[in-house]
Amino acid sequence: ETGVTQTPRHLVMGMTNKKSLKCEQHLGHNAMYWYKQSAKKPLELMFVYNFKEQTENNSVPSRFSPECPNSSHLFLHLHTLQPEDSALYLCASSQGVGASYEQYFGPGTRLTVT
Amino acid sequence: DAKTTQPNSMESNEEEPVHLPCNHSTISGTDYIHWYRQLPSQGPEYVIHGLTSNVNNRMASLAIAEDRKSSTLILHRATLRDAAVYYCILRGLNYGGATNKLIFGTGTLLAVQP
């Protein structure tokens, strides 16, 4: 499945590093999402972008900074993370944000903060 | 709060049908019923969704009770590849706010025996 791609697939970073996660969707969708999945916890929505505009920030700490330059690309900039931020970060996209639209997920970036 | 109730786990035999139940007694008239699944070490995958009528697609069928307070995801012939966590999610303004966000619960872990 190559509709939504994420890079890198794995990332190890120190607490003082700055890194970025990239997501690209090839489906012509207008909405994009960042989710976090920690071990043994349900997926948590972090951010929603619709037509490049951020429409939802789910009380995410400022050390996570999203960027959506166009409807096909979404970035998550990371800085001064904590070990508890280690998780699987998933990107998704959908045609719209209405309740009838399904979301398509990327494979995720496995992040380890040391 | 995902507002749905699913069994924690189920088992099936390969090539047999599987019926995954979901209760959603607080559903409102405009809420869609979405099903996603997550295979080990992968991002979630959209399966099917519906509003009132039963739905069929290449992956599964969705049977929705007449009062809409429960639904059943049907896999017609289980394969080993269908072993995953299956999430039943209500999507609508009552749960997801203006962006109708998906709120994942803990889902049903389906094991498929050869």
Side-chain angles (χ1 to χ4, degrees), chain A residues 59-94:
Chain A
S59 302
V60 180
S62 60
R63 58 186 182 269
F64 295 92
S65 175
E67 178 190 3
C68 188
N70 54 62
S71 292
S72 298
H73 294 86
L74 185 64
F75 295 89
L76 188 63
H77 304 299
L78 315 171
H79 63 98
T80 59
L81 294 191
Q82 305 298 311
E84 58 264 30
D85 297 321
S86 298
L88 181 67
Y89 289 85
L90 292 153
C91 173
S93 72
S94 62

Side-chain angles (χ1 to χ4, degrees), chain A residues 41-61:
Chain A
K41 291 178 67 175
L43 274 81
E44 303 170 66
L45 178 69
M46 300 174 72
F47 302 103
V48 180
Y49 278 82
N50 193 27
F51 291 98
K52 302 188 301 179
E53 298 298 319
Q54 187 181 121
T55 55
E56 183 138 2
N57 176 338
N58 204 24
S59 302
V60 180

Side-chain angles (χ1 to χ4, degrees), chain B residues 39-94:
Chain B
L39 280 66
S41 302
Q42 294 188 27
E45 176 184 27
Y46 166 74
V47 179
I48 201 167
H49 75 281
L51 183 62
T52 55
S53 304
N54 295 342
V55 185
N56 299 296
N57 66 21
R58 63 176 180 82
M59 289 183 68
S61 295
L62 176 60
I64 301 173
E66 199 169 327
D67 63 5
R68 301 187 71 234
K69 293 186 176 181
S70 66
S71 60
T72 302
L73 178 71
I74 303 167
L75 307 179
H76 295 287
R77 288 182 72 232
T79 69
L80 296 178
R81 194 194 171 278
D82 292 320
V85 178
Y86 286 78
Y87 299 97
C88 168
I89 304 170
L90 298 184
R91 194 166 188 211
L93 295 176
N94 289 331

Side-chain angles (χ1 to χ4, degrees), chain A residues 1 9 33 35 37 42-43 45 48 55-56 58 88 90 94 96-108 110, chain B residues 30-32 34 36 38 41-46 49 87 91-93 96-106:
Chain A
E1 181 61 57
R9 294 293 307 276
Y33 311 77
Y35 288 84
Q37 187 170 34
L43 274 81
L45 178 69
V48 180
T55 55
E56 183 138 2
N58 204 24
L88 181 67
L90 292 153
S94 62
V97 293
S100 64
Y101 293 109
E102 64 271 25
Q103 292 183 15
Y104 293 90
F105 286 78
R110 174 71 62 186
Chain B
T30 56
D31 295 331
Y32 282 78
H34 284 247
Y36 289 77
Q38 188 170 19
S41 302
Q42 294 188 27
E45 176 184 27
Y46 166 74
H49 75 281
Y87 299 97
R91 194 166 188 211
L93 295 176
T99 56
N100 297 289
K101 60 189 176 190
L102 289 174
I103 301 174
F104 285 80
T106 54

